[in-house]
Structures are given as C-alpha cells and as structure tokens.
Amino acid sequence: MNRPLATSGMVKAALLAALIAATSQLSIPQPFSAVPITLQVFFVLLAGAVLGPLYGSLSMVVYVLLGLAGLPVFANGGSGIGTLVGPTGGYLIGFILATGVIGWIVSAGKASMAQILLAMGAGIIVIYTCGVMQLSFVAKMAIGQAIIAGAGPFIVLDFAKAIVAALVAKRVIRSQAT
C-alpha cells in the first residue's frame, strides 16, 4: 500500500467523520418520530462515494466510536452505548454498512452520474433497512409502523440529499482523477 495514499485516506476519513459529527448537531426533531432530520445522510453518502468502501466505512466507524466513547456526536447531542442500542441506533450501523456499499458500487465502474446515484440509492436503502429494523424492535412497533415513523417522512428529503451529494461526489471524483 502506498503510504501517502493511506495517510490521505485516513485524513479524509477523519474529516468526513468530523463533518458528520458536526451536522448531527443541526437537527430538527420530529413530533411524530424518534428520528430527527439532520444533514448526516448527505455526508454519509458523500463519504461512501468519494472515499471508497474501506475509508468510507472507516469514517463511519470513527464517528460511531467517538459517540460510544461519550463525545456528544450523535443527533441531538447524544452519545454512549444507549444511543447505539436505542431506537435510532440502527441508523448508525446503517451508516457504516451504507458507506461500504456505496463505495463498492462507485469503485466498481467508471463513476458515472447514474452509477453514483444508484450507489446512493442503495446506501439509503441500507440505512433505512437497518434503522427501521432496530426502531421496530426497540420501540416494539410493527414493521409497517416503523417504516412510517422511521423512513416515510424522510424519503423525499434524503433522495434530494442524494442528488446533491452525487453532484458533489462527481466533481470530487473528477478532481481526484486529474
């Protein structure tokens, strides 16, 4: 492994982890759901696309570990194991898995806009699947109720974030290639 590339990847992973931590503090609580609206998904999608599967996932692992260590980096200033095993913890696990999936799909081809959008759509599905499953289990909701509370209100906004993230990712990927 080329040492400068590894160092560069780790620095970028740390930067994306910091951006996700910062944007988690800019949240809009929802009266109908335990899941707040944040910009986290935007940076999760971007991390997967521009960092690839390894460093993208690493950025999310760093973010989750910071929260588990007690730093208030999760939405609404949350931290600790209670958040990870609570109703919204599945989304955090989904962030790690989604960045890997996104990075794998983007790196598997020529990183066309269509491919990047497909990758981000797949990432959103991974995030929602993990999040809704845990929300259903922890909150003792039927899966349909969990989908309505934990995914329904956010789908349009998250796909809008995906489009903007794809545009940004395409430019970053293009600039990295030159």
Side-chain angles (χ1 to χ4, degrees):
M1 177 181 279
N2 186 339
R3 173 96 58 220
L5 284 178
T7 303
S8 173
M10 291 188 295
V11 169
K12 290 174 185 174
L15 175 63
L16 267 294
L19 286 169
I20 290 164
T23 58
S24 72
Q25 305 311 304
L26 306 171
S27 64
I28 302 168
Q30 298 302 307
F32 49 82
S33 175
V35 183
I37 293 175
T38 69
L39 287 176
Q40 290 173 292
V41 170
F42 173 83
F43 287 105
V44 169
L45 301 174
L46 191 61
V50 301
L51 298 179
L54 175 63
Y55 290 113
S57 296
L58 179 62
S59 70
M60 296 304 104
V61 168
V62 166
Y63 167 67
V64 170
L65 288 175
L66 289 171
L68 289 176
L71 296 175
V73 297
F74 298 145
N76 299 322
S79 66
I81 191 74
T83 302
L84 190 62
V85 299
T88 61
Y91 296 96
L92 299 172
I93 300 302
F95 290 173
I96 296 168
L97 299 175
T99 51
V101 168
I102 294 164
W104 179 75
I105 292 171
V106 170
S107 66
K110 297 182 194 276
S112 68
M113 184 56 75
Q115 183 182 18
I116 294 170
L117 284 168
L118 171 70
M120 292 188 177
I124 289 171
I125 290 169
V126 169
I127 294 167
Y128 283 177
T129 300
C130 294
V132 165
M133 287 173 51
Q134 186 159 327
L135 180 62
S136 173
F137 178 75
V138 172
K140 297 181 180 20
M141 294 178 163
I143 197 73
Q145 290 175 307
I147 290 170
I148 290 168
F154 311 99
I155 291 173
V156 172
L157 187 56
D158 283 342
F159 277 99
K161 291 176 199 173
I163 291 167
V164 175
L167 293 168
V168 172
K170 182 68 175 166
R171 290 194 69 153
V172 171
I173 292 167
R174 190 177 327 135
S175 72
Q176 290 175 343
T178 57

